[in-house]
Coordinates of all heavy atoms in Angstrom, one line a residue:
E969 N 4.5 45.3 -34.4 CA 4.3 46.2 -33.5 C 4.5 45.7 -32.0 O 4.1 44.6 -31.7 CB 2.8 46.8 -33.6 CG 2.6 47.7 -34.7 CD 3.2 49.0 -34.5 OE1 2.9 49.7 -33.5 OE2 4.1 49.4 -35.3
Y970 N 5.3 46.4 -31.3 CA 5.5 45.9 -30.0 C 4.6 46.7 -29.1 O 4.5 47.9 -29.0 CB 7.0 46.3 -29.5 CG 7.2 45.7 -28.1 CD1 7.2 44.4 -27.8 CD2 7.3 46.6 -27.0 CE1 7.5 43.9 -26.6 CE2 7.4 46.1 -25.7 CZ 7.5 44.8 -25.5 OH 7.7 44.3 -24.3
I971 N 3.7 46.0 -28.5 CA 2.7 46.7 -27.7 C 3.0 46.6 -26.2 O 3.3 45.5 -25.7 CB 1.3 45.9 -27.9 CG1 0.9 45.8 -29.3 CG2 0.2 46.7 -27.1 CD1 0.7 47.1 -30.1
L972 N 3.1 47.8 -25.6 CA 3.5 47.8 -24.2 C 2.4 47.0 -23.4 O 1.2 47.1 -23.7 CB 3.4 49.2 -23.7 CG 4.7 49.9 -24.3 CD1 4.7 51.4 -23.8 CD2 5.9 49.3 -23.7
S973 N 2.9 46.4 -22.3 CA 1.9 45.7 -21.7 C 0.9 46.4 -20.8 O -0.3 46.0 -20.6 CB 2.6 44.5 -20.7 OG 3.5 45.2 -19.9
T974 N 1.3 47.6 -20.5 CA 0.2 48.5 -19.8 C -0.2 49.5 -20.8 O 0.4 50.5 -21.0 CB 0.8 49.3 -18.6 OG1 2.1 49.5 -18.8 CG2 0.6 48.5 -17.3
K975 N -1.4 49.3 -21.4 CA -1.9 50.4 -22.2 C -2.6 51.4 -21.4 O -2.4 52.6 -21.5 CB -2.8 49.7 -23.2 CG -2.3 48.7 -24.3 CD -1.5 49.5 -25.3 CE -2.5 50.2 -26.1 NZ -1.8 50.7 -27.3
Q976 N -3.2 50.9 -20.5 CA -4.0 51.8 -19.4 C -3.1 51.8 -18.2 O -2.7 50.8 -17.6 CB -5.4 51.2 -19.2 CG -6.4 51.2 -20.3 CD -6.6 52.6 -20.7 OE1 -6.9 53.5 -19.9 NE2 -6.6 52.9 -22.0
P977 N -2.8 53.0 -17.8 CA -2.1 53.1 -16.5 C -2.9 52.4 -15.4 O -4.1 52.5 -15.3 CB -2.0 54.5 -16.3 CG -2.2 55.3 -17.5 CD -3.1 54.3 -18.4
H978 N -2.1 51.9 -14.5 CA -2.8 51.2 -13.4 C -3.3 52.2 -12.4 O -2.7 53.2 -12.2 CB -1.7 50.4 -12.7 CG -1.5 49.1 -13.4 ND1 -2.2 48.0 -13.3 CD2 -0.5 48.8 -14.3 CE1 -1.8 46.9 -14.1 NE2 -0.7 47.5 -14.7
H979 N -4.4 51.9 -11.8 CA -4.9 52.6 -10.8 C -4.7 51.9 -9.3 O -4.1 50.9 -9.4 CB -6.4 52.9 -10.9 CG -6.6 53.8 -12.2 ND1 -6.2 55.1 -12.1 CD2 -6.9 53.5 -13.4 CE1 -6.4 55.6 -13.4 NE2 -6.9 54.6 -14.2
A1056 N 2.4 51.0 -8.7 CA 1.4 50.2 -9.4 C 1.8 50.2 -11.0 O 1.3 49.4 -11.7 CB 0.1 50.6 -9.1
N1057 N 2.4 51.2 -11.4 CA 2.8 51.4 -12.8 C 4.2 50.9 -13.1 O 4.5 51.0 -14.2 CB 2.6 52.8 -13.2 CG 1.1 53.1 -13.6 OD1 0.5 52.9 -14.6 ND2 0.5 53.7 -12.6
H1059 N 6.2 47.3 -13.7 CA 5.7 46.0 -14.1 C 6.3 45.0 -13.1 O 7.6 44.7 -13.3 CB 6.1 45.7 -15.6 CG 5.6 46.8 -16.5 ND1 5.5 46.5 -17.9 CD2 4.9 47.9 -16.5 CE1 5.0 47.4 -18.5 NE2 4.7 48.4 -17.6
D1108 N 6.7 52.3 -15.7 CA 6.0 51.7 -16.9 C 7.2 51.1 -17.8 O 7.0 51.0 -19.0 CB 5.1 52.7 -17.6 CG 4.3 51.8 -18.6 OD1 3.8 50.8 -18.3 OD2 4.0 52.4 -19.7
H1109 N 8.3 50.8 -17.3 CA 9.4 50.1 -18.1 C 8.9 48.8 -18.6 O 8.4 47.9 -17.9 CB 10.6 50.0 -17.2 CG 11.9 49.7 -18.0 ND1 12.1 48.5 -18.8 CD2 13.0 50.4 -18.1 CE1 13.2 48.6 -19.5 NE2 13.8 49.7 -19.0
P1110 N 8.9 48.6 -19.9 CA 8.5 47.3 -20.5 C 9.4 46.1 -20.4 O 9.0 45.0 -20.9 CB 8.3 47.7 -22.0 CG 9.3 48.7 -22.3 CD 9.5 49.4 -21.0
S1122 N 7.9 50.1 -32.1 CA 6.8 50.2 -31.0 C 6.2 51.6 -31.1 O 6.9 52.5 -31.5 CB 7.5 50.0 -29.7 OG 8.2 51.1 -29.2
E1123 N 5.0 51.6 -30.6 CA 4.3 53.0 -30.6 C 5.2 54.1 -29.8 O 5.2 55.2 -30.3 CB 3.1 52.8 -29.7 CG 1.9 52.3 -30.4 CD 0.7 52.0 -29.5 OE1 0.4 53.1 -28.8 OE2 0.3 50.9 -29.4
L1124 N 5.8 53.6 -28.7 CA 6.8 54.7 -28.0 C 7.9 55.1 -28.9 O 8.2 56.3 -28.8 CB 7.2 54.0 -26.8 CG 6.2 54.0 -25.6 CD1 6.9 53.4 -24.4 CD2 5.6 55.3 -25.2
L1127 N 6.5 57.5 -31.2 CA 6.1 58.8 -30.5 C 7.3 59.6 -30.4 O 7.3 60.8 -30.6 CB 5.4 58.5 -29.2 CG 5.1 59.7 -28.3 CD1 4.2 60.6 -29.0 CD2 4.4 59.2 -27.1
H1137 N 9.5 58.6 -21.9 CA 8.2 58.0 -21.5 C 8.0 58.0 -20.0 O 7.1 58.5 -19.4 CB 8.1 56.5 -22.0 CG 6.7 55.9 -21.7 ND1 5.5 56.4 -21.8 CD2 6.6 54.8 -20.9 CE1 4.7 55.7 -21.4 NE2 5.3 54.6 -20.8
L1141 N 5.1 60.2 -18.3 CA 4.1 59.3 -17.6 C 4.0 59.8 -16.2 O 2.9 59.8 -15.7 CB 4.3 57.9 -18.0 CG 3.2 57.0 -17.2 CD1 1.8 57.2 -17.9 CD2 3.5 55.6 -17.1
Q1144 N 2.0 62.8 -15.9 CA 0.6 62.5 -16.2 C 0.0 61.8 -15.1 O -1.1 62.3 -14.6 CB 0.5 61.6 -17.5 CG 0.7 62.3 -18.8 CD 1.0 61.3 -19.9 OE1 0.7 60.1 -19.7 NE2 1.4 61.8 -21.1
L1145 N 0.5 60.7 -14.5 CA 0.0 60.0 -13.4 C -0.2 60.9 -12.1 O -1.2 60.9 -11.4 CB 0.9 58.8 -13.0 CG 1.0 57.7 -14.0 CD1 2.1 56.8 -13.5 CD2 -0.4 56.9 -14.1
R1148 N -3.0 64.0 -13.0 CA -4.3 63.8 -13.4 C -5.5 63.5 -12.3 O -6.6 63.6 -12.5 CB -4.4 62.4 -14.3 CG -4.4 61.1 -13.7 CD -4.9 59.9 -14.6 NE -4.2 60.1 -15.8 CZ -3.7 59.0 -16.4 NH1 -3.9 57.8 -16.0 NH2 -3.1 59.2 -17.6

Side-chain angles (χ1 to χ4, degrees):
E969 283 291 297
Y970 182 74
I971 308 293
L972 289 175
S973 48
T974 32
K975 294 284 294 188
Q976 291 297 313
H978 283 275
H979 294 284
N1057 281 279
H1059 301 194
D1108 199 35
H1109 196 296
S1122 77
E1123 276 176 56
L1124 282 182
L1127 177 61
H1137 177 60
L1141 183 68
Q1144 283 165 11
L1145 292 172
R1148 80 161 46 140

